[in-house]
Amino acid sequence: QVQLVESGGGSVQAGGSLKLSCAASGFIFSTCAMGWYRQAPGKERELVASISSDGATTYADSVKGRFTASQDHGRNTLNLQMNNLKPEDTAVYYCTAAGVLDLGVCGPWRADTAKWGQGTQVTVSS
């Protein structure tokens, strides 16, 4: 059973830093495209950062140069280092992974089969 458990959220002042982590289990970590989304009140969920199964990263324009996504394969953990936080970064942050095929191997990331964590709140005050 796939489990994604986020941690590391909290409240910081503008300019501060936070590191989010997503502990993953139930699939072969190295085969899975993963990412971070966020949803602010009254807004749609948006992609923050993604990592392909071969480690290539992409970022939303709004976070480029400030956020860094990384994977710890030894701990099956996806991380998001967030620096120079801004009030507009305030949101619930969700970890996501591609859907799992047979034998724990992930398929391509698709919205209808992706797995999600429960989310962690990040609040940035000005």
Side-chain angles (χ1 to χ4, degrees), residues 24-121:
S25 61
F27 58 90
I28 301 173
F29 190 76
S30 61
T31 69
C32 225
M34 298 185 70
W36 291 96
Y37 278 71
R38 67 185 181 188
Q39 188 167 19
K43 295 188 176 181
E44 293 187 353
R45 192 172 293 191
E46 63 175 359
L47 176 66
V48 176
S50 66
I51 295 185
S52 68
S53 57
D54 61 2
T57 54
T58 61
Y59 297 94
D61 287 343
S62 59
V63 306
K64 282 181 181 176
R66 301 188 298 121
F67 290 12
T68 302
S70 63
Q71 291 175 305
D72 183 338
H73 288 270
R75 298 184 178 184
N76 285 3
T77 300
L78 175 70
N79 299 309
L80 185 68
Q81 178 66 46
M82 305 185 295
N83 298 327
N84 190 23
L85 282 159
K86 303 176 180 181
E88 51 264 42
D89 294 319
T90 295
V92 178
Y93 284 70
Y94 297 90
C95 173
T96 183
V100 180
L101 305 177
D102 292 341
L103 303 178
V105 174
C106 284
W109 194 95
R110 288 170 35 186
D112 60 339
T113 58
K115 305 300 182 183
W116 296 89
Q118 81 286 354
T120 186
Q121 176 71 46

Side-chain angles (χ1 to χ4, degrees), residues 11-22:
S11 297
V12 295
Q13 289 191 327
S17 299
L18 283 173
K19 182 179 180 179
L20 306 184
S21 294
C22 173

